[in-house]
Amino acid sequence: MFTHDGTLELDAAIMDGRTRAAGAVAAATATRNPVGLARAILDDGRHVFLAGKGADAFSREHDLPQADAAWFATDERRRQFAEFQADGGGFDVDMKYGTVGAVACDTHGHVAAATSSGGVTGKRWGRIGDTPVIGAGTFADDRACAVSCTGSGEFFLRVGVGHEIAARVRLSGESLQIAADAVLAEVKALGGTGGVIVAGPDGDMAWGFNTVGMYRGRASSEGSRTVAIYANEPA
């Protein structure tokens, strides 16, 4: 996503539910795969969250693949930015395009979550959304579940969606679906839109969203496969 000034800033996070170790990066500008940078921060272990020039420096020091701005800029994003400028530079309130995330459970019942985003077209002043914030857009805890979020980050930040879902599962014994639906209802009540994907340590999976659709897919060890886009779409 192009910022208000026509630059590109990338956010990502990853979390291991077994140890609750996490790595997060905001406003990275040159790492080809920001979630790989988040993973390197997790593995390094000294810090959890790096941003801007420091994140870029850490990436170079750890020999992660680099790229210039042109590598990140697609024709579709250029079109959106041109539309944004033509409309007078307002905020992209529709947020039709967004985050990519993944949640998983392994054969030992350990869960993990990872989320990556280019943010919102026209973001200003170093704006950071929920994606790289542990407990908001990304969270994993073996005692509850792993959560990855997409949507209007300002609202997901205020609700602390990832941690809130996990807390309801762990402390109230709610199912993944009930917890996800309840927290998304809270987001909607505040005026926000978006969705979540959730995985539990028992292999249970859930997703929820309060928009007309959300690109989503899931796979189980029993061979179940589901891919869908719109709400109420048959598997």
Side-chain angles (χ1 to χ4, degrees):
M1 298 292 195
F2 284 93
T3 69
H4 184 274
D5 298 324
T7 59
L8 295 158
E9 297 175 353
L10 310 167
D11 305 333
I14 190 168
M15 189 168 185
D16 181 349
R18 182 173 52 102
T19 60
R20 278 178 280 170
V25 56
T29 64
T31 305
R32 286 177 64 113
N33 304 107
V35 75
L37 174 53
R39 177 58 188 265
I41 295 168
L42 183 155
D43 290 339
D44 181 77
R46 287 176 289 178
H47 303 294
V48 170
F49 203 166
L50 300 180
K53 293 180 180 179
D56 287 341
F58 180 94
S59 179
R60 292 191 299 270
E61 289 174 9
H62 286 72
D63 297 322
L64 297 177
Q66 304 291 296
D68 59 24
W71 189 85
F72 299 102
T74 66
D75 290 340
E76 174 64 4
R77 299 306 186 202
R78 289 191 181 95
R79 184 198 65 77
Q80 291 172 8
F81 185 56
E83 186 178 273
F84 163 83
Q85 291 176 307
D87 288 343
F91 192 69
D92 178 18
V93 293
D94 292 331
M95 289 186 266
K96 296 184 181 70
Y97 304 89
T99 309
V100 60
V103 291
C105 172
D106 70 11
T107 57
H108 302 290
H110 301 311
V111 296
T115 319
S116 185
S117 178
V120 177
T121 298
K123 61 184 180 179
R124 302 187 71 179
W125 309 298
R127 179 263 188 189
I128 297 169
D130 63 304
T131 291
V133 178
I134 302 302
T138 307
F139 192 70
D141 185 342
D142 276 5
R143 300 172 299 174
C145 57
V147 184
S148 181
C149 306
T150 181
S152 43
E154 278 66 24
F155 295 94
F156 278 69
L157 281 165
R158 289 158 60 187
V159 174
V161 169
H163 186 274
E164 189 77 357
I165 291 173
R168 294 180 74 107
V169 172
R170 179 167 66 92
L171 300 176
S172 298
E174 293 181 352
S175 70
L176 302 186
Q177 193 66 61
I178 289 174
D181 290 345
V183 176
L184 284 174
E186 186 176 351
V187 170
K188 185 176 182 179
L190 292 177
T193 59
V196 299
I197 53 175
V198 190
D202 58 355
D204 191 19
M205 294 177 281
W207 54 44
F209 49 97
N210 58 21
T211 54
V212 296
M214 180 178 76
Y215 298 115
R216 60 201 188 276
R218 61 187 174 194
S220 76
S221 58
E222 286 78 28
S224 172
R225 300 289 186 271
T226 304
V227 176
I229 299 175
Y230 300 105
N232 303 317
E233 183 177 348

